[in-house]
Amino acid sequence: MTVDYLVMAAYLLGIIGVGLWGRRRAASKSDFLVAGRRLGPLMYTGTMAAVVLGGASTIGGVRLGYTYGVSGAAMVGAIGLGLLALSVFFSARISRLRVYTVAEMLSLRYGDAASVISGVVMWIYTLMLAVTSTIAYASVFDVLFDVPRWVAVVVGGTIVVGYSALGGMWSITLTDMVQFVVKSVGVLVLLLPIAVVKAGGFGAMADRLPGGYFSLTSIGGQTIVTFVLIYTFGMLIGQDIWQRVFTARSDRVAAWGGTVAGVYCLVYALAGAFIGMATKTLYPNLTAADQAFATIVKHALPTGVRGLVLAAALSAMMSTASGALIASATVANQDIWARLRRRTASGDHDEIGSNRLAIAVLGVVAMAIACVLGDVIEALTVAYNLLVGGLLVPILGGLVWRRGNLPGALTAMVAGGTTVIVLMVTDGLLANEPIYYGLLASLVAYVAVSLVTRPTDETILETWRRRLAGEPAPAPAPAATGPELSAA
């Protein structure tokens, strides 16, 4: 596999080079965190598709296809549907808010106290999302290179942390575009057709696979509903996704670019399921379904092509990891650490330097957690359960229901988050019940408490309305002078 190693090494060196180049463009806080809010349709579409389709979508999608057949596309398909819903219904309004974090949005809508709990929940979610992509490195390296997990985690993690810390969102955006192209060629153009042909085509796969592998519901109707609740709704409110929306140069770019990216996700979902089914046809007795992707790459692809496809897998993992990492650092720095420092976001400290430090520290934390956890789907489910159970209702409620208020939002966060955590402990991390009852508890708490407490102050609501509409804030009234002052 010498040629394959050389291809992968060249790719990784190229990513580092692109990341270094992006550092030159990170001249301000806006450049570092949201690429100066200047991305056009092509770059926005590529970076949005890259950030939502990571290690869990690639390794996990093939794993589900290997285990359940075509219905294994449900998880990644739910991600695509969520991105479509976000782009069609909410992205234009989100883009006009001109904020940096979801917690800042909640602070605008409900008042400053709403950002504290939401910031902590969002920070945990984004950190766990970075962990899932880091875990995915190990699943590939374990099979292909026979190296200890910690070596794979450290090598891949160091590269991601390096280019993310150097150039922030500009480096991440530029590397995401490279990764989007490599991933599209590697997975859709090369691996998918080669794997299906090696398996004898769809006819041979239908003959040799267990019954139900070509059924759209063999994974289970309840599981599909759970995927929609977790991943579709998760796409609507995740900091990593919103932070990419903030990079669009206009609300039109955010809406149309996100729609194209959502369609791409649906295609990617089917590709992962079919690759998993082809692998099941060729290698039906793998000891672990997580090995399906690496196994089909190692044994079915010719030299050189194998290296490119492996680079594509790394692309998927790195794009999501870097997006989650800068999102986690942004939340930590803007919503949590700034409060502990007792400084505002525009305080007398180096904004870019503090964000670089946050990326480095949280990158090391993510690598450490990844060395301990082993199941990429489990880790991703924990992240999305906490996000959706705790924050979905207050965020969407704030966007669509004027009567929702701060007490209702805070109660919903606590009720939903607590219910999810308790049921994950009692019923299992992959159980369906945590998200069902967590959302129900959050919704009931939000509506009931909002109705029995005072409405949100009209001044806050008017400021919120202006920001949603993209209107400038009203100019302050001039100071009274002369006779007016006397009359006062």
Side-chain angles (χ1 to χ4, degrees), residues 28-108:
S28 67
K29 174 183 174 181
S30 178
D31 288 331
F32 193 89
L33 295 182
V34 291
R37 307 185 194 271
R38 297 201 299 269
L39 297 191
L42 180 61
M43 292 193 72
Y44 179 83
T45 299
T47 192
M48 182 62 86
V51 73
V52 300
L53 296 175
S57 298
T58 303
I59 307 300
V62 173
R63 165 193 167 176
L64 291 174
Y66 183 90
T67 307
Y68 299 104
V70 70
S71 69
M75 184 186 77
V76 182
I79 291 173
L81 290 176
L83 191 51
L84 285 171
L86 173 71
S87 303
V88 172
F89 299 112
F90 299 108
S91 63
R93 282 186 284 177
I94 293 170
S95 179
R96 290 194 292 263
L97 287 174
R98 312 290 288 183
V99 295
Y100 290 104
T101 69
V102 174
E104 287 180 47
M105 167 263 168
L106 290 170
S107 180
L108 275 173

Side-chain angles (χ1 to χ4, degrees), residues 344-399:
T344 65
S346 57
D348 58 352
H349 63 291
D350 179 6
E351 286 285 352
I352 294 179
S354 62
N355 279 294
R356 282 187 175 131
L357 177 61
I359 289 173
V361 171
L362 293 174
V364 172
V365 172
M367 286 188 274
I369 297 174
C371 289
V372 176
L373 295 181
D375 190 311
V376 68
I377 301 288
E378 247 183 30
L380 192 66
T381 301
V382 170
Y384 274 98
N385 273 344
L386 290 172
L387 173 71
V388 175
L391 296 183
L392 177 71
V393 170
I395 292 173
L396 294 190
L399 288 170

Side-chain angles (χ1 to χ4, degrees), residues 239-452:
Q239 169 68 27
D240 53 319
I241 310 303
W242 278 40
Q243 198 157 345
R244 298 309 173 101
V245 174
F246 301 151
T247 66
R249 71 181 178 209
S250 69
D251 52 12
R252 183 181 295 271
V253 169
W256 284 102
T259 300
V260 175
V263 173
Y264 178 89
C265 291
L266 298 180
V267 174
Y268 200 87
L270 289 173
F274 288 140
I275 292 168
M277 293 164 66
T279 308
K280 180 71 172 180
T281 303
L282 294 168
Y283 309 99
N285 299 313
L286 294 180
T287 56
D290 270 340
Q291 297 176 353
F293 180 86
T295 299
I296 192 68
V297 169
K298 182 176 182 179
H299 296 291
L301 300 182
T303 300
V305 173
R306 183 167 47 207
L308 182 60
V309 172
L310 290 174
L314 291 176
S315 295
M317 300 168 201
M318 287 181 173
S319 57
T320 298
S322 59
L325 192 56
I326 194 172
S328 183
T330 302
V331 171
N333 208 40
Q334 297 290 121
D335 301 326
I336 300 174
W337 293 0
R339 292 176 177 276
L340 297 178
R341 289 193 305 262
R342 295 185 181 277
R343 298 172 180 172
T344 65
S346 57
D348 58 352
H349 63 291
D350 179 6
E351 286 285 352
I352 294 179
S354 62
N355 279 294
R356 282 187 175 131
L357 177 61
I359 289 173
V361 171
L362 293 174
V364 172
V365 172
M367 286 188 274
I369 297 174
C371 289
V372 176
L373 295 181
D375 190 311
V376 68
I377 301 288
E378 247 183 30
L380 192 66
T381 301
V382 170
Y384 274 98
N385 273 344
L386 290 172
L387 173 71
V388 175
L391 296 183
L392 177 71
V393 170
I395 292 173
L396 294 190
L399 288 170
V400 303
W401 192 40
R402 183 181 176 87
R403 185 61 178 82
N405 62 10
L406 177 61
L410 294 177
T411 307
M413 292 179 201
V414 174
T418 302
T419 302
V420 163
I421 292 171
V422 170
L423 290 179
M424 281 195 297
V425 172
T426 59
D427 295 356
L429 298 180
L430 297 180
N432 295 317
E433 286 75 16
I435 193 61
Y436 293 166
Y437 291 108
L439 277 175
L440 179 62
S442 182
L443 179 61
V444 170
Y446 182 70
V447 173
V449 174
S450 292
L451 289 176
V452 300

Side-chain angles (χ1 to χ4, degrees), residues 74 127 132 181 195 199 207 216 245 300 359 392 402 434 457 465:
L127 183 62
T132 63
V181 172
D207 292 336
L216 294 175
V245 174
I359 289 173
L392 177 71
R402 183 181 176 87
D457 185 90
R465 186 196 67 76

